[in-house]
Amino acid sequence: MDYQQQYSAYQQAIETYLDGIFTAEGKPYGRLQESIRYSLLAGGKRIRPVLTLEFARLGGIDWHLALPYACALELVHNYSLIHDDLPCMDDDDLRRGKPTNHKVYGETLAVLAGDAMQPEAFRLILQARGLSADNRIEAALLLAKACGADGMVAGQVLDTLCHVEDEEGLTGLNRLKTGVMISAAAELGCVASNMPAYWRQQAVKYADQLGLAFQIRDDMLDVMGDEAVFGKPIGSDKDEGKITYVNLKGLDGCAQEVEKCTVAAKEAIRDIPDHDFLWELADRMVGRNK
Amino acid sequence: MDYQQQYSAYQQAIETYLDGIFTAEGKPYGRLQESIRYSLLAGGKRIRPVLTLEFARLGGIDWHLALPYACALELVHNYSLIHDDLPCMDDDDLRRGKPTNHKVYGETLAVLAGDAMQPEAFRLILQARGLSADNRIEAALLLAKACGADGMVAGQVLDTLCHVEDEEGLTGLNRLKTGVMISAAAELGCVASNMPAYWRQQAVKYADQLGLAFQIRDDMLDVMGDEAVFGKPIGSDKDEGKITYVNLKGLDGCAQEVEKCTVAAKEAIRDIPDHDFLWELADRMVGRNK
């Protein structure tokens, strides 16, 4: 199966799975489910859950078994986007080319939608079929740490409230805000398939470099992207007075850095057999437009 | 040990446990931990975790083993209070006699503090020592359901966005907004101690009636309470245009209803040996002033 076919197979399974949760029929509070589904099913790239599924496959299990883990992480990622767009955070009007959650449903429901997505994520992991209790405990714990007060939320605090001035600070921020969750996505697939520890370390290193490449490319697109393709307003980082990699390195420097991270990502998993899909995924990150 | 001694022993263990998490030393995002600790250690009554510990004790285990479960639920309860006080929710300035979290730390940090408390709650359960993997899975799942989109958050949606008009609607709202978490607190203690199913049902019924009594008393205190003792502004329900039990039944009717729920709560656990503590806890609810 070629890259695109495999990616589509993963993506379709993820969409179907996510479409099956937060159903609203007959509930007096059904607008909550509606608002969650609005954001959750808005057609993201699903890179994170795709990583989970691919690492589960590489670890030798039927990747469908890892769908609850993959979608749990995607749920947490999506709650963080809803809260990140709030007026008291980045105050964004547009996400994936559509009005942000609070623009459509109001702030109250946007806060509550995000709040309800976290426990649901843990529920998916805890109830995953065909995986042992110890495996599910390990997976849920991994997610809890990744999205907690020393993980993703810490990154959000640095991004919105702390003044980051240099590359070290910016990379630290990005590792927490986006990198930790991308690494957790890869690692969840390793956990699901009980991958040996040395492969798991390689997977985390791959994801770490991929995450950095992803973030630097994001900063580039914020300057030079096409709004209609990117799905977010161009120039928003500058408007918010944020330091980005483009400020620190210029566009050419950023392009080189993305290239460097991509090479390092690929190198990290050279020893894992059948790594073609992950290599191509990394390569495609270099030129992505959205 | 008499009631007050036992309650103090529980309370002290809970305070010590909660004081040990979210430490901030040397973290560039330490203000996050500070804001969480501000709300978490503001001296609530700790009724919910006390219920967990007492049911764990009644189920025959060393109640200290259930501290992670008890404090996990208390964490979720406290995150919900921080978010509930936000300007886009109830917009409250005062909680437990102190300025609310966003009044001190700003809205951004208040949202993020709440966000970070949820995964930490799951971490506590998942890492609880001396309890089996299956037991921790069951406990974490119980919490996930109680605080999720068909539990506590659904109650918040009904409370803030839906117009409730009659007693049935109000009781439904209260069961979701506060009752489910009080029942979950009791049930977590039963889970920790592997209590037999029929006792567990009685525990849930006790907690359900206790929760209703608690909420009706809360509505009464909102009308007739002493602000300095209650810790919240008096009359805030009326200001927000919310229907309360006092509107529906009057103060005398409410007093009778609290009495009725208390009797039902006590009756529910008559068969559980050594229930004196829980009986007194229910009795004290009738006359509470804060």
Side-chain angles (χ1 to χ4, degrees):
Chain A
M1 206 185 279
D2 75 1
Y3 175 85
Q4 200 51 63
Q5 278 178 314
Q6 185 71 64
Y7 201 104
S8 298
Y10 287 151
Q11 215 169 10
Q12 208 169 340
I14 292 160
E15 297 299 332
T16 304
Y17 191 98
L18 292 176
D19 191 39
I21 53 178
F22 294 113
T23 51
E25 299 97 43
K27 292 174 182 170
Y29 47 85
R31 216 167 147 74
L32 172 68
Q33 278 74 7
E34 192 189 317
S35 75
I36 293 172
R37 294 173 69 87
Y38 172 81
S39 292
L40 190 59
L41 303 173
K45 294 178 289 292
R46 312 296 190 198
I47 289 173
R48 291 162 191 79
V50 164
L51 284 176
T52 307
L53 299 179
E54 174 65 3
F55 275 104
R57 190 189 71 79
L58 290 176
I61 62 163
D62 174 1
W63 58 262
H64 295 88
L65 285 173
L67 270 169
Y69 290 10
C71 292
L73 191 124
E74 184 68 6
L75 264 182
V76 171
H77 171 58
N78 275 271
Y79 114 70
S80 79
L81 299 181
I82 295 175
H83 281 192
D84 195 34
D85 289 335
L86 286 169
C88 68
M89 308 281 271
D90 280 354
D91 194 15
D92 280 322
D93 296 345
L94 216 57
R95 164 80 62 188
R96 293 170 184 153
K98 291 168 62 178
T100 46
N101 195 291
H102 67 272
K103 281 280 156 192
V104 179
Y105 293 95
E107 277 182 65
T108 309
L109 213 47
V111 170
L112 291 172
D115 286 349
M117 289 161 88
Q118 286 210 73
E120 184 71 1
F122 286 98
R123 189 185 71 78
L124 297 185
I125 293 179
L126 296 163
Q127 291 191 311
R129 292 188 188 183
L131 298 167
S132 73
D134 281 329
N135 196 289
R136 285 173 279 150
I137 293 257
E138 190 179 353
L141 200 48
L142 181 68
L143 180 64
K145 287 178 181 170
C147 71
D150 292 305
M152 186 182 73
V153 177
Q156 289 277 20
V157 172
L158 291 176
D159 192 32
T160 48
L161 297 172
C162 302
H163 193 60
V164 165
E165 282 180 336
D166 54 16
E167 190 179 344
E168 196 192 336
L170 187 59
T171 299
L173 183 167
N174 284 327
R175 277 220 162 88
L176 283 171
K177 189 179 171 182
T178 53
V180 168
M181 286 288 283
I182 293 177
S183 295
E187 210 174 348
L188 278 175
C190 302
V191 170
S193 61
N194 283 307
M195 232 185 219
Y198 56 95
W199 278 4
R200 198 183 289 197
Q201 284 162 15
Q202 292 166 7
V204 170
K205 192 167 178 201
Y206 166 85
D208 179 58
Q209 292 297 317
L210 189 78
L212 288 178
F214 186 86
Q215 190 56 52
I216 298 167
R217 185 72 192 162
D218 219 58
D219 285 355
M220 292 170 71
L221 290 172
D222 188 70
V223 175
M224 63 177 211
D226 177 340
E227 186 164 319
V229 178
F230 194 36
K232 295 188 273 193
I234 300 304
S236 65
D237 290 335
K238 195 177 169 192
D239 294 347
E240 292 162 18
K242 286 184 184 174
I243 295 284
T244 73
Y245 283 106
V246 178
N247 300 132
L248 294 169
K249 291 178 175 291
L251 278 172
D252 286 349
C254 282
Q256 284 167 26
E257 196 67 26
V258 171
E259 190 66 42
K260 210 175 106 187
C261 292
T262 307
V263 170
K266 289 167 72 175
E267 198 49 44
I269 51 164
R270 182 180 285 281
D271 293 345
I272 303 182
D274 194 14
H275 55 237
D276 297 3
F277 179 90
L278 292 171
W279 275 34
E280 182 150 357
L281 192 147
D283 281 333
R284 287 182 181 228
M285 205 64 77
V286 181
R288 76 180 175 96
N289 293 315
K290 63 174 182 177
Chain B
M1 208 184 279
D2 75 1
Y3 175 84
Q4 200 51 61
Q5 277 179 315
Q6 184 71 63
Y7 201 104
S8 297
Y10 287 151
Q11 215 170 11
Q12 208 169 340
I14 293 159
E15 296 302 330
T16 303
Y17 191 97
L18 292 175
D19 190 40
I21 53 178
F22 294 113
T23 50
E25 298 97 44
K27 293 174 182 170
Y29 47 82
R31 214 166 148 74
L32 173 67
Q33 278 73 10
E34 192 189 316
S35 75
I36 293 172
R37 294 173 69 87
Y38 172 80
S39 292
L40 190 59
L41 304 174
K45 293 179 289 293
R46 312 297 189 199
I47 289 174
R48 292 161 190 78
V50 164
L51 283 176
T52 307
L53 299 180
E54 174 66 3
F55 276 105
R57 189 188 72 79
L58 289 177
I61 62 163
D62 174 1
W63 58 262
H64 294 87
L65 285 172
L67 270 169
Y69 290 10
C71 291
L73 191 124
E74 183 68 6
L75 264 181
V76 171
H77 171 59
N78 275 272
Y79 114 71
S80 80
L81 299 181
I82 295 175
H83 281 192
D84 195 35
D85 288 335
L86 285 169
C88 67
M89 308 282 272
D90 280 356
D91 195 12
D92 281 322
D93 296 346
L94 214 58
R95 164 80 62 188
R96 295 171 182 150
K98 291 168 62 179
T100 46
N101 195 292
H102 67 273
K103 281 280 156 191
V104 179
Y105 293 95
E107 276 182 67
T108 309
L109 213 48
V111 170
L112 292 171
D115 286 350
M117 289 161 87
Q118 285 210 75
E120 183 71 2
F122 286 99
R123 188 185 72 75
L124 297 186
I125 293 179
L126 296 163
Q127 291 191 312
R129 291 188 188 182
L131 298 167
S132 73
D134 281 329
N135 196 289
R136 286 173 281 150
I137 295 256
E138 190 180 353
L141 200 48
L142 181 69
L143 180 65
K145 288 179 179 169
C147 71
D150 292 306
M152 185 183 74
V153 178
Q156 290 278 20
V157 172
L158 291 177
D159 192 32
T160 47
L161 297 171
C162 303
H163 192 60
V164 164
E165 283 180 334
D166 54 15
E167 190 179 343
E168 196 190 335
L170 187 59
T171 300
L173 182 167
N174 284 326
R175 277 220 162 87
L176 284 171
K177 190 179 170 183
T178 53
V180 168
M181 286 288 283
I182 293 178
S183 295
E187 211 174 348
L188 278 175
C190 303
V191 170
S193 60
N194 283 308
M195 231 186 219
Y198 56 95
W199 277 4
R200 197 181 292 196
Q201 284 163 15
Q202 292 166 5
V204 170
K205 192 166 179 203
Y206 166 85
D208 179 59
Q209 292 297 316
L210 190 77
L212 287 178
F214 185 84
Q215 191 56 53
I216 298 167
R217 185 72 191 163
D218 220 56
D219 286 356
M220 292 170 71
L221 290 173
D222 188 70
V223 176
M224 62 176 210
D226 177 341
E227 187 164 318
V229 179
F230 195 36
K232 294 189 274 194
I234 301 304
S236 65
D237 290 335
K238 194 177 171 192
D239 294 347
E240 292 162 17
K242 285 184 182 172
I243 295 284
T244 72
Y245 284 108
V246 178
N247 301 132
L248 295 169
K249 291 178 176 290
L251 279 173
D252 285 348
C254 281
Q256 284 166 27
E257 196 66 26
V258 171
E259 188 66 43
K260 209 174 108 190
C261 291
T262 307
V263 170
K266 289 168 70 175
E267 198 49 44
I269 52 165
R270 182 179 286 280
D271 292 346
I272 302 183
D274 194 16
H275 56 238
D276 297 2
F277 179 90
L278 292 171
W279 274 32
E280 181 150 359
L281 192 148
D283 281 334
R284 287 181 182 229
M285 204 65 77
V286 182
R288 77 179 175 98
N289 292 317
K290 62 176 184 174

